[in-house]
Amino acid sequence: MLPVGSLLDYDFAAGTLTLRTAGAQLSLRFLAPDLLRITLLPEGRQMRPSVAVLPRQWDDVQVRLDEGEEALRLATPAMTVEVGRDPVRLRFYDRDGRLLAGEASLAWGEGAVAWEQAAPPEVRYYGFGQKPGFLDRRGRAMTHWATDESLHTPDHDVLYQAIPFHIAMQGSRAHGLFVDSTARVRYDVAKERADRLRILADDDYLDAYLFAGPAIKDVLVRYTELTGRMELPPLWALGYHQCRYTYFPEARVREVAAELRRREIPCDAVWLDIDYMDGYRVFTWDRERFPDPKQMVADLREQGFRTVTIVDPGVKVDARYPVFREGVAGNHFICHADGELCIDNVWPGRSAFPDFTRAATRRWWGDLHREFVNDLGIAGIWNDMNEPAVFNERKTLPPTAVQGEDGARVGHDRVHNAYGLLMAQATHEGLRRLQPDRRPFLLTRSGYAGIQRYAAVWMGDNHSWWEHLLTTVPILLGMGLSGVPFVGTDIGGFQGDCDGELFARWVQLGAFLPFCRNHAAMGTVDQEPWAFGPEVEEIARRYIQLRYRLLPFLYNEFYKSSQTGLPVMRPLLLEYPDDPETANLSDQFLLGEDLLVCPVYQPGATARMVYLPAGEWVDFWTGARHRGPARIVAEAPLERMPLYVRAGAILPMGPVRQWTDQPAPAELTLQVYAGADGALDLYEDEGEGYAYRDGGYAITPVRLSGTRLRIGAPEGGYRPTRDRLVVRFFAPGRVVVAERDGRPVTFRTAADGAAEVVLTEGTTDACELSFRVEG
Ligand code: GLC
């Protein structure tokens, strides 16, 4: 490795400071006042187009250059970068002139580039995509290399996702760094040397983005402006999903679906894993197991279920198989340098792998979904094995396989981490073309920075272990802090046998995850919600039903996330960055800003410690009030997972439905937690399609001040129907009078302490409800 030496010369034109050193060029360009792009390009090397960064025209930024004797300083109102001349090294300062972490230096060598930066002891490190362990990753070494790794233990950090982005925090001030490399990237976060962060990419150049914050939310908002945000998913995708490796034949699929309905366990989708296919040939059906997929899908839909099918990238080498033949003819498969197809084993046996870095290949692949979605009615696609996973010692393709558009071919090792993202892009764009009026739903296992634009992500093959229940929350919080909000893990655990108590605790937690799917491996015990007897079934039913009641709230949070890039599922750190107690708190989390979810992670536990940050918190189950900051012991018998709501919150809820678009009376419930002032802008739309982009949505403003609640009329081009509007008012005392626009209305006091007012007329008119409270 060669450190970037001394500055030879530089120029500053069109907002870019270009610095030349012996053998390399370093460019610094502000895309926004708080966002700096830093590119180190050794001579003679080529940059690839980014797969993560959205093409867009950034507004011009006012930049000032000071040409000092020792250093150059490039400044915007939000940030300054100081470039030492000899040797070239970088220091970043925020708008208040405070140094971000410490001095950074760059180096390059044969096929590698490095970023080194001081890591003062008070700096904490978050994000990094999918990594085992807890929130703050200081003291750890990690590698980004998308891998089919089924041992999710602390010493196996190399998992399916590769997102080389992190957020560093000093006290409550944050800055971020994204190293846009799809090659292997290694991080040493103050491990080998306690005072140093070292990032090494096995790449030809370094293309990095520094986010100056200063708030953690500022970093995430900018990062997702750069790499894109989740599109609003169809509402059904937020329901409960039932999966298993593998439901077959058709009769078994129908049986599972019928059981869900008979037992009134709400569910929106039944999933088909690899055994629906003919010899694992993608885009085919095993006609013995599934003689008439179209009829089956239609019958399931009649009962309210969507059908989701798995689609893996490996295409079986079989001269009689049209997908393989077309792929060869269209030059869509990855080849070795000598032009031979790169063939290796995966589920179908010897398989070829589409080169999704090629636009024509992405288009071909997207169009392959035509029969599934347009003719058979498949509603969603599940992309798996897309690291890509291969059954060999390396677990993937050889580094020397070549990929890329003609004239811009590179070794697989340079673009390995992009495979899952580009496959998801191909699928997402295909679904958009094939069904322009539907929002695509896609689940992926592998991904790179920006994957949130195309797919929901699950964490792959976890185990039915209590330990994996415990790591579910931190791993998903890490994804959220890496820009990916639509995430979940296999509820009940994939590998190994679940038991009733573990399942009960898992489904309680799972009901609050952005993506909520039960899945289990072949050869493990049954894991449907009724598999563990009536007590556990009842717990599963109650929590899944609660998820359905919370759908208006969840959907609103998804909408907000699609607008801001902030996660749905949040570490307390995001909302309470000034509170040092939140720095590594990951055994409880917030949904949005208001709902505090405190899962139970141990067998036999009947209580758990809960940390309540500043403010007043209301027990969701009992209405009891607690003042934070405080640690409390929460009762948690098997049927209860502790849940708290922030005073000031207004939670929109709906009725229990067995599936999201089940016809049922339209009822909106506002659970109002008085004790602090609050606001809700409730987003609603059809839950499907794109009319919302042309004004087909409604936003209902609701304001709480003291014990007065003002509900505005919905604004926007979509008219929500509300047969009933229920306001459940949780007061810090006893409600004695309730009034609507100054006139008394009847209310009843419910078991959880809420004063409940039911309106059946003028339910979408603006109104004011006020409550007189005693005691
Ligand atoms: C992989 C997936 C898993 C799936 C299995 C069979 O292990 O991670 O979810 O069930 O392949 O397709």
Side-chain angles (χ1 to χ4, degrees):
M1 281 285 192
L2 272 180
V4 170
S6 46
L7 181 60
L8 301 179
D9 64 72
Y10 64 90
D11 61 64
F12 181 54
T16 304
L17 178 63
T18 308
L19 308 136
R20 269 169 295 276
T21 64
Q25 179 177 299
L26 177 66
S27 350
L28 303 175
R29 181 192 178 86
F30 281 98
L31 302 183
D34 56 351
L35 169 55
L36 177 69
R37 181 177 184 186
I38 304 155
T39 310
L40 174 69
L41 184 63
E43 269 165 25
R45 300 196 187 167
Q46 289 295 320
M47 287 181 68
R48 303 179 299 274
S50 173
V51 298
V53 172
L54 288 173
R56 61 170 284 177
Q57 204 51 49
W58 294 83
D59 294 339
D60 284 345
V61 181
Q62 285 309 318
V63 188
R64 216 186 53 238
L65 176 68
D66 283 347
E67 298 162 88
E69 244 167 60
E70 304 271 297
L72 307 171
R73 291 169 73 87
L74 200 59
T76 71
M79 171 184 184
T80 298
V81 50
E82 186 180 274
V83 188
R85 288 178 185 252
D86 190 16
V88 170
R89 61 218 185 276
L90 306 172
R91 287 167 155 252
F92 310 97
Y93 300 88
D94 70 9
R95 63 174 60 143
D96 302 316
R98 285 181 294 213
L99 182 64
L100 304 182
E103 188 167 280
S105 58
L106 310 177
W108 53 277
E110 195 50 45
V113 285
W115 169 286
E116 262 195 38
Q117 191 169 8
E122 75 280 10
V123 184
R124 289 125 47 208
Y125 295 89
Y126 302 99
F128 305 97
Q130 181 189 20
K131 291 292 166 202
F134 297 95
L135 272 191
D136 177 4
R137 318 281 171 168
R138 193 180 172 101
R140 301 178 52 125
M142 292 169 284
T143 299
H144 291 299
W145 181 257
T147 302
D148 178 6
E149 171 58 68
S150 59
L151 261 191
H152 304 182
T153 52
D155 49 352
H156 287 86
D157 78 282
V158 187
L159 296 174
Y160 317 89
Q161 296 277 317
I163 307 183
F165 168 71
H166 76 271
I167 300 174
M169 291 197 72
Q170 291 168 282
S172 58
R173 287 184 296 129
H175 66 273
L177 183 72
F178 169 42
V179 174
D180 189 6
S181 170
T182 55
R184 182 182 271 107
V185 184
R186 282 179 266 248
Y187 282 75
D188 185 297
V189 188
K191 180 185 171 191
E192 194 186 295
R193 268 181 45 193
D195 59 352
R196 187 191 66 178
L197 163 73
R198 185 157 209 257
I199 306 171
L200 200 77
D202 291 350
D203 213 334
D204 302 314
Y205 57 90
L206 180 86
D207 196 12
Y209 296 82
L210 194 110
F211 304 83
I216 181 168
K217 287 185 179 175
D218 299 332
V219 175
L220 266 178
V221 168
R222 268 287 187 239
Y223 170 71
T224 54
E225 196 179 354
L226 185 76
T227 59
R229 296 183 179 141
M230 167 187 67
E231 267 190 27
L232 191 58
L235 179 62
W236 68 265
L238 306 195
Y240 170 72
H241 300 258
Q242 185 63 49
C243 189
R244 161 121 213 148
Y245 174 22
T246 287
Y247 289 135
F248 72 83
E250 179 183 318
R252 175 68 184 143
V253 179
R254 290 178 182 273
E255 182 184 34
V256 170
E259 282 299 295
L260 285 158
R261 291 294 178 251
R262 189 171 75 76
R263 296 171 186 268
E264 298 193 354
I265 296 168
C267 180
D268 266 78
V270 176
W271 291 51
L272 300 181
D273 204 328
I274 50 176
D275 291 292
Y276 76 87
M277 292 181 267
D278 170 17
Y280 306 131
R281 289 169 185 82
V282 283
F283 306 108
T284 69
W285 292 82
D286 179 325
R287 291 286 171 170
E288 260 170 44
R289 292 171 175 169
F290 295 90
D292 190 350
K294 184 169 183 166
Q295 191 60 50
M296 179 189 74
V297 170
D299 291 347
L300 288 173
R301 187 70 198 98
E302 272 287 291
Q303 302 169 65
F305 295 100
R306 261 87 178 179
T307 306
V308 179
T309 50
I310 197 168
V311 176
D312 290 350
V315 173
K316 188 175 182 66
V317 174
D318 170 359
R320 285 163 323 200
Y321 169 37
V323 177
F324 177 70
R325 281 211 312 270
E326 275 179 28
V328 172
N331 200 14
H332 294 308
F333 294 127
I334 298 177
C335 292
H336 293 289
D338 60 6
E340 283 291 305
L341 279 189
C342 183
I343 307 280
D344 216 326
N345 283 316
V346 69
W347 296 123
R350 285 161 46 78
S351 305
F353 299 85
D355 182 0
F356 295 110
T357 63
R358 296 164 71 88
T361 301
R362 290 200 297 276
R363 191 161 182 108
W364 167 67
W365 189 262
D367 289 346
L368 285 173
H369 295 78
R370 183 180 310 277
E371 188 197 339
F372 271 43
V373 302
N374 290 4
D375 303 344
L376 304 181
I378 297 299
I381 298 292
W382 169 19
N383 282 164
D384 186 27
M385 307 296 278
N386 52 353
E387 293 69 29
V390 175
F391 298 156
N392 63 21
E393 276 192 356
R394 202 190 300 112
K395 295 189 171 189
T396 195
L397 301 176
T400 47
V402 284
Q403 285 194 252
E405 302 283 4
D406 295 341
R409 300 250 156 157
V410 293
H412 170 74
D413 58 345
R414 292 290 190 270
V415 288
H416 172 80
N417 287 341
Y419 200 87
L421 174 121
L422 292 171
M423 182 184 188
Q425 179 180 353
T427 308
H428 179 100
E429 290 173 356
L431 298 183
R432 285 286 279 129
R433 282 195 303 279
L434 294 168
Q435 294 194 312
D437 300 332
R438 294 264 177 92
R439 303 179 197 167
F441 172 70
L442 173 57
L443 181 74
T444 183
R445 190 170 73 176
S446 189
Y448 176 68
I451 187 62
Q452 64 272 9
R453 302 197 295 266
Y454 306 120
V457 180
W458 101 107
M459 298 297 107
D461 299 346
N462 58 357
H463 280 72
S464 300
W465 292 339
W466 288 92
E467 290 83 348
H468 276 181
L469 182 61
L470 178 66
T471 56
T472 294
V473 174
I475 209 166
L476 297 180
L477 293 176
M479 289 294 288
L481 290 178
S482 309
V484 189
F486 200 0
V487 289
T489 59
D490 288 344
I491 294 174
F494 179 70
Q495 304 177 88
D497 296 324
C498 197
D499 64 48
E501 185 181 4
L502 178 58
F503 186 78
R505 293 307 192 186
W506 213 311
V507 80
Q508 289 172 341
L509 163 57
F512 293 88
L513 296 179
F515 175 62
C516 175
R517 186 187 71 158
N518 179 345
H519 184 42
M522 180 160 289
T524 62
V525 297
D526 282 355
Q527 203 168 282
E528 290 74 28
W530 54 87
F532 304 100
E535 186 193 357
V536 173
E537 177 183 337
E538 180 53 24
I539 292 172
R541 181 182 302 106
R542 279 226 268 125
Y543 278 81
I544 295 171
Q545 288 184 349
L546 177 57
R547 179 181 182 90
Y548 277 71
R549 283 170 52 210
L550 281 166
L551 279 172
F553 167 73
L554 255 185
Y555 193 60
N556 195 48
E557 292 303 326
F558 268 74
Y559 169 72
K560 281 161 48 185
S561 178
S562 73
Q563 298 298 301
T564 62
L566 297 176
V568 172
M569 176 180 175
R570 301 181 178 187
L572 275 72
L573 168 77
L574 202 62
E575 298 303 320
Y576 303 89
D578 293 319
D579 179 351
E581 296 286 328
T582 67
N584 212 357
L585 185 61
S586 61
D587 64 346
Q588 51 184 78
F589 64 95
L590 287 161
L591 265 190
E593 289 147 32
D594 297 329
L595 190 57
L596 183 62
V597 181
C598 310
V600 177
Y601 303 103
Q602 281 182 333
T606 52
R608 64 154 285 174
M609 187 82 86
V610 167
Y611 179 68
L612 299 172
E616 200 180 4
W617 294 87
V618 184
D619 186 314
F620 181 84
W621 304 111
T622 65
R625 285 172 179 259
H626 305 270
R627 186 153 284 288
R631 272 178 212 292
I632 61 169
V633 174
E635 292 300 314
L638 187 60
E639 68 283 1
R640 176 175 301 183
M641 178 180 65
L643 278 178
Y644 298 87
V645 189
R646 202 179 53 79
I650 303 162
L651 292 188
M653 294 177 66
V656 174
R657 287 193 163 83
Q658 295 307 306
W659 63 95
T660 49
D661 52 2
Q662 182 185 28
E667 179 176 300
L668 177 69
T669 299
L670 297 175
Q671 299 233 108
V672 182
Y673 295 85
D677 291 352
L680 164 74
D681 288 298
L682 175 62
Y683 176 89
E684 293 165 285
D685 66 16
E686 286 170 356
E688 179 55 284
Y690 287 94
Y692 77 96
R693 292 194 174 165
D694 300 314
Y697 62 86
I699 291 184
T700 305
V702 187
R703 299 291 176 267
L704 169 67
S705 60
T707 56
R708 268 215 317 271
L709 186 74
R710 272 180 295 117
I711 306 174
E715 291 157 20
Y718 171 73
R719 288 277 127 224
T721 39
R722 307 209 202 291
D723 300 318
R724 276 155 56 97
L725 174 66
V726 181
V727 174
R728 308 191 73 242
F729 195 81
F730 292 81
R734 201 165 60 87
V735 171
V736 288
V737 177
E739 290 177 339
R740 178 189 191 176
D741 296 324
R743 276 194 295 277
V745 282
T746 48
F747 68 93
R748 65 167 203 115
T749 305
D752 59 3
E756 203 172 279
V757 176
V758 179
L759 307 180
T760 49
E761 271 162 45
T763 52
T764 52
D765 298 343
C767 74
E768 182 174 295
L769 291 175
S770 51
F771 298 85
R772 186 125 46 81
V773 179
E774 276 180 1

